[in-house]
Amino acid sequence: MQVALRALPLLVLSLILVITGCASKEKEPKVTTEADLYQAAERQLNNSQWQTAIKNLQTLEENFPFGTYAEQAQLELIYAYYMSGEPDAAIATANRFIRLHPQHRNVDYAYYMLGMSSFTKDKGMFERVLPVDITRRDPGAARESLANFTQLLNRYPDSAYAADAKKRMLFLRNLLARYEIHVANYYFKRGAYIAAVGRGRYVLENFPKTPAIPDALAVMVQGYRLMSMSTQADEMLEILRTNYPNYPALDKDGQFNDRYMYDDGHFNLFAWLTFGLFSKSEVTGFDTRELYDPQYIKAPAKSVN
């Protein structure tokens, strides 16, 4: 009896080990073929099961690096990372594919996804769900995205992704130009007029034909006037008057209103009556997106019959 009692703990321990061993065996992944992994990943991508698809594509790449589906799986992995909100992983995977397969027939897709991923990599969680003026965001990601799309068009002008890349580049150029105007407005607040004029000139030289051009001209007129550089101010004013005669800072005679950049172009009666002692005019700068940028122009309200 005593021998049996002494052996009981050993018996219990043995049973635990057996049960644990069986459980661990049940959790081991089932051995499958390359085709099975790829087809499973395809189904998961179609069903927006990004994380599961990523695991299967990674498993396929690790176990069948030279298989039939290896290269295509790498391209699918770029897309899965992008859609799962992991742009850094998508960029790293795209760069690796370009490095390993520079002559691949679908390498243009990797360049395209570089542009797509780089633009979203700095987006925070709240920016993805809340309305945010992205023209005020740090432009680093937008510049990187524009460079990647430019590289795609330079290398593969006839790519199936070229048309979409051009549209996105137009958007990015407009965004970057508007960012420069925001910075110029900030410099006006700080009294840094030379810097403000420099931002306006940068827009004219680097982003011609963008909707920010009229504001860039106004920035330069205002900045030159504040620095008492009347000749340069008049030159910019003539360009503004000729090309944008309806610019809101111009009166009916085409003269520039130096007070337009204060209080959103509205007259501050209280500040005027109190000589600015109790209410100072706020420098709001120039922002005429709703007049010149199709993306921001509001559609006229429909009349009710």
Side-chain angles (χ1 to χ4, degrees):
M1 186 68 177
Q2 291 180 352
V3 174
L5 291 174
R6 290 175 184 174
L8 184 59
L10 294 176
L11 180 60
V12 172
L13 180 60
S14 299
L15 288 172
I16 293 174
L17 291 175
V18 170
I19 293 171
T20 305
C22 293
S24 63
K25 286 181 181 179
E26 290 176 358
K27 290 181 180 179
E28 288 179 3
K30 187 170 142 182
V31 177
T32 186
T33 66
E34 180 189 10
D36 288 338
L37 283 170
Y38 182 76
Q39 290 168 7
E42 284 290 289
R43 288 194 302 272
Q44 288 144 9
L45 290 173
N46 291 332
N47 293 325
S48 302
Q49 297 172 320
W50 312 121
Q51 292 302 323
T52 310
I54 287 171
K55 290 179 181 178
N56 277 325
L57 291 169
Q58 288 175 333
T59 302
L60 189 155
E61 189 177 0
E62 291 169 1
N63 291 280
F64 307 97
F66 305 106
T68 306
Y69 300 96
E71 294 176 0
Q72 186 60 33
Q74 292 172 23
L75 291 171
E76 302 282 11
L77 189 57
I78 299 170
Y79 177 74
Y81 277 133
Y82 172 76
M83 293 302 296
S84 68
E86 301 178 65
D88 286 326
I91 290 170
T93 306
N95 279 320
R96 182 163 61 90
F97 184 89
I98 292 169
R99 186 176 66 254
L100 295 175
H101 313 287
Q103 303 303 321
H104 193 277
R105 64 186 182 279
N106 293 324
V107 71
D108 58 330
Y109 175 77
Y111 280 105
Y112 174 73
M113 290 305 295
L114 274 179
M116 295 290 290
S117 301
S118 57
F119 180 59
T120 61
K121 73 175 184 177
D122 287 341
K123 273 191 176 182
M125 179 182 67
F126 293 106
E127 289 182 72
R128 293 184 182 128
V129 297
L130 297 175
V132 176
D133 185 357
I134 60 174
T135 65
R136 296 181 182 274
R137 205 174 77 197
D138 185 287
R143 290 195 181 110
E144 184 180 335
S145 181
L146 182 61
N148 287 327
F149 284 132
T150 301
Q151 186 174 206
L152 167 65
L153 292 180
N154 288 340
R155 290 175 179 268
Y156 307 98
D158 299 323
S159 168
Y161 309 102
D164 186 71
K166 288 177 182 178
K167 292 178 183 178
R168 294 181 185 279
M169 289 174 67
L170 179 62
F171 170 81
L172 289 167
R173 285 170 55 80
N174 292 348
L175 185 153
L176 291 170
R178 179 53 52 185
Y179 173 81
E180 296 297 325
I181 300 300
H182 288 318
V183 175
N185 291 334
Y186 169 77
Y187 282 141
F188 278 129
K189 293 181 181 180
R190 304 291 296 179
Y193 306 136
I194 294 177
V197 168
R199 294 289 179 158
R201 183 183 299 110
Y202 184 83
V203 172
L204 294 181
E205 293 175 351
N206 294 276
F207 303 110
K209 299 181 180 179
T210 60
I213 289 296
D215 283 334
L217 290 167
V219 163
M220 297 185 74
V221 173
Q222 185 82 52
Y224 281 133
R225 285 193 171 188
L226 289 170
M227 293 187 291
S228 300
M229 300 173 68
S230 57
T231 301
Q232 292 87 338
D234 290 343
E235 289 177 358
M236 293 298 106
L237 177 57
E238 184 59 31
I239 297 173
L240 178 64
R241 186 189 293 131
T242 302
N243 293 278
Y244 306 95
N246 297 320
Y247 191 81
L250 300 176
D251 63 19
K252 61 181 180 179
D253 298 320
Q255 298 303 310
F256 190 84
N257 178 10
D258 291 333
R259 298 294 305 171
Y260 178 79
M261 77 166 184
Y262 300 94
D263 301 312
D264 291 317
H266 302 297
F267 179 65
N268 189 331
L269 178 61
F270 188 68
W272 181 77
L273 291 173
T274 60
F275 302 99
L277 294 176
F278 300 102
S279 177
K280 293 184 179 180
S281 296
E282 180 186 359
V283 177
T284 51
F286 303 92
D287 188 348
T288 58
R289 279 179 284 183
E290 293 187 1
L291 291 176
Y292 298 105
D293 191 336
Q295 183 182 351
Y296 293 91
I297 295 175
K298 295 180 180 178
K302 295 182 180 180
S303 59
V304 179
N305 295 328

